[in-house]
Amino acid sequence: MTHIVQKTTLDNGVRVVSESIDSVQSVSIGIWVATGARFEEESRRGISHFLEHMLFKGTERRPNAKDIADEMDAVGGYLNAFTDKEYTCYYARALAENLPLCVDILSDMYSNSRFDPEETARERKVVLEEIKRRDDDPDDLVHDLFAQTLYKQHPLGLPVIGTAEVVAALEPHDLREYMARHYGPGGVIVAAAGNLEHQRVVDMVNEHLGGLSGQSEPPVHEFPQASLDVLAYARPTEQVNFCVGVPAYGQFDEDKYALAILDTVLGGSMGSRLFQEIREKRGLAYSVGSYAAVHREGGYFAAYGGTSPDTYEQCLELVREEFRKVRESGIEEGEMERAKAQYRSGIVMKQESMSSRMNRMGASEVYFNRVVPLEEVLESINKVTHDDVLRVASKIFPEDPGQLTVAAVGPFKKPRASRAKKASKNGAEAGITATAAAGV
């Protein structure tokens, strides 16, 4: 069984990276573009995500969405896309023999989408319904609200999905203009993994995208400045869904590996501290955990959960207490070993999926202009020490556990000023905002 990663850059700047794995019978291939929600102008918030939808709505050769879907369905393949804050990916999965069709369809969508006015109007309604669905789902909404509260003056704080006001006004000419500025070959990466030959992939991509032209405007990168604030977003729900956290590290900071260990110990598994303290010992929540969002210049660490309104403050206090403990004492030896084992097994088991391999290569090229070897990542995790974790915890978690950014969605009746005063100790900017108090 061979696993070979290769990279070729076409004359127009399109990068082609592939991993050949001869023990499988499938392929996963994606066209990545190094632009996303954080690079949008204020009047275009949500255009990256809307454009992602519209590329499935018809080309000159495949005039409507059903033509595209039927052609992929006919070979048992799968076609989809996703938009993130710093990149967008259009991808397909299929049997290896159908790789040429995948390249053809994806390239046709990327290069020749029609943006028919009627299709645009119809899909605009679909995205507006998607925004409503997000707004009606408090355990999804709270994460967007947390990012907005933490990075309220930076595009990283804005939701990928955009706003209803902007999406409702987007027209075909806006999409074409955005593509002309950001979808040029210099920002395009084609990543593929599975039973394939690299040169054959290069030849196919060159045939379909070798003539691609246009701009890839250099994105403006600014380090985000965090705001200490507490947002109570009123909704007539049975639970309070909350997110509490701090600014953390970006993709180019080696401390992201120590943060990954800390994340695993605090909320990354059923054996984690938060899961044990909040769910297992006290039965206060069904869903509880933590995660690290790692972007180009910065990121954040957050704990989250959902609990009854009368136990919300207790859950917050338990989270603060666990933050305080790791800040003062770090983690135990057994926790370190378990966290490293979980991280290693997680990343290695993902390699059994061709889509995971493709995604890892694509994102790695976006950030580092190279595919970071798996061995390099594992070595970085293995080198994390107790001192590293303690240093990171001491740096990101404040000495006063009240100095944390919090977002919560629940049946709040009115702002609680006492909590804001507690959070504003030492002169930090803080406050509570209660909005959309629908029926409470």
Side-chain angles (χ1 to χ4, degrees):
M1 180 171 63
T2 57
H3 296 233
I4 303 171
V5 176
Q6 294 177 274
K7 175 180 176 179
T8 299
T9 302
L10 304 184
D11 290 342
N12 64 347
V14 172
R15 287 170 275 170
V16 182
V17 293
S18 75
E19 186 170 15
S20 178
I21 303 161
D22 58 12
S23 61
V24 300
Q25 300 303 313
S26 65
V27 292
S28 179
I29 183 167
I31 297 180
W32 293 66
V33 56
T35 189
R38 69 165 292 182
F39 305 121
E40 297 166 345
E41 298 173 353
E42 187 172 353
S43 62
R44 293 292 182 267
R45 300 299 188 200
I47 193 171
S48 299
H49 174 252
F50 187 49
L51 177 59
E52 173 219 307
H53 277 241
M54 286 305 303
L55 259 62
F56 288 81
K57 300 307 168 184
T59 70
E60 294 303 322
R61 288 196 290 132
R62 301 171 173 94
N64 57 59
K66 194 172 188 305
D67 294 328
I68 295 172
D70 283 350
E71 202 164 347
M72 186 59 72
D73 288 349
V75 298
Y78 180 76
L79 190 66
N80 211 331
F82 56 85
T83 305
D84 208 300
K85 296 194 176 185
E86 298 180 307
Y87 49 74
T88 308
C89 175
Y90 305 87
Y91 66 93
R93 298 197 305 264
L95 297 178
E97 64 198 59
N98 296 313
L99 177 60
L101 178 64
C102 293
V103 176
D104 182 25
I105 292 177
L106 288 170
S107 300
D108 191 28
M109 290 165 51
Y110 194 90
S111 303
N112 304 307
S113 283
R114 297 171 61 218
F115 303 129
D116 177 77
E118 290 187 8
E119 286 284 2
T120 303
R122 187 159 39 243
E123 197 62 23
R124 187 188 299 118
K125 293 192 295 183
V126 171
V127 175
L128 290 173
E129 291 300 321
E130 187 178 359
I131 292 173
K132 292 175 185 177
R133 185 186 68 171
R134 188 280 312 267
D135 291 344
D136 284 344
D137 186 357
D139 64 350
D140 185 10
L141 175 63
V142 72
H143 297 284
D144 277 353
L145 292 177
F146 175 79
Q148 288 178 261
T149 304
L150 181 70
Y151 289 142
K152 61 180 60 180
Q153 302 298 328
H154 193 278
L156 282 177
L158 298 171
V160 170
I161 201 169
T163 66
E165 293 76 15
V166 170
V167 171
L170 291 175
E171 297 290 348
H173 67 86
D174 298 312
L175 303 177
R176 294 189 183 96
E177 180 184 77
Y178 185 79
M179 283 197 78
R181 290 175 54 193
H182 298 283
Y183 271 51
V188 174
I189 299 144
V190 178
N195 194 329
L196 53 82
E197 296 178 5
H198 177 73
Q199 189 55 51
R200 185 164 176 253
V201 176
V202 171
D203 291 343
M204 286 187 287
V205 174
N206 193 43
E207 176 185 352
H208 291 281
L209 296 178
L212 184 68
S213 59
Q215 294 178 293
S216 297
E217 288 190 359
V220 177
H221 300 294
E222 296 179 357
F223 194 87
Q225 298 298 315
S227 298
L228 171 65
D229 210 343
V230 179
L231 174 70
Y233 197 81
R235 279 287 190 266
T237 58
E238 293 297 318
Q239 282 190 317
V240 174
N241 283 269
F242 64 88
C243 235
V244 52
V246 292
Y249 301 107
Q251 287 286 351
F252 296 93
D253 197 318
E254 286 298 306
D255 279 339
K256 68 182 181 181
Y257 296 108
L259 179 63
I261 296 296
L262 184 60
D263 173 32
T264 303
V265 170
L266 282 172
S269 72
M270 292 176 64
S272 66
R273 293 188 181 190
L274 292 173
F275 194 93
Q276 288 296 312
E277 290 295 328
I278 293 176
R279 174 169 165 162
E280 296 299 311
K281 291 184 180 181
R282 295 172 176 83
L284 299 178
Y286 172 77
S287 174
V288 60
S290 66
Y291 62 96
V294 184
H295 303 296
R296 185 175 292 272
E297 289 85 17
Y300 54 85
F301 174 80
Y304 65 90
T307 190
S308 297
D310 59 350
T311 53
Y312 166 53
E313 290 291 350
Q314 183 182 1
C315 285
L316 279 188
E317 192 55 42
L318 289 168
V319 172
R320 295 187 195 106
E321 177 63 13
E322 292 306 320
F323 287 1
R324 182 193 65 78
K325 287 179 181 177
V326 294
R327 185 186 190 280
E328 294 179 357
S329 305
I331 63 176
E332 299 175 0
E333 181 63 35
E335 290 178 318
M336 172 73 82
E337 294 308 313
R338 286 194 297 273
K340 287 185 175 181
Q342 289 172 34
Y343 191 96
R344 286 195 301 266
S345 63
I347 196 170
V348 171
M349 285 191 290
K350 282 182 179 178
Q351 301 310 294
E352 297 182 5
S353 162
M354 296 305 101
S355 293
S356 292
R357 287 177 179 267
M358 184 275 290
N359 287 336
R360 196 180 80 83
M361 289 190 296
S364 186
E365 275 289 334
V366 167
Y367 287 117
F368 307 108
N369 198 28
R370 70 185 183 102
V371 176
V372 178
L374 186 63
E375 295 76 16
E376 184 178 323
V377 176
L378 294 175
E379 181 182 0
S380 296
I381 282 291
N382 287 334
K383 285 167 37 176
V384 174
T385 67
H386 286 275
D387 288 342
D388 292 331
V389 175
L390 179 60
R391 174 175 47 78
V392 164
S394 299
K395 184 175 181 180
I396 66 171
F397 295 135
E399 184 177 359
D400 177 0
Q403 305 297 295
L404 297 166
T405 297
V406 180
V409 179
F412 302 111
K413 295 186 182 301
K414 60 183 179 180
R416 286 160 290 174
S418 60
R419 176 66 184 90
K421 290 178 181 178
K422 181 179 179 181
S424 63
K425 183 180 177 182
N426 298 328
E429 177 188 355
I432 290 183
T433 304
T435 57
V440 298

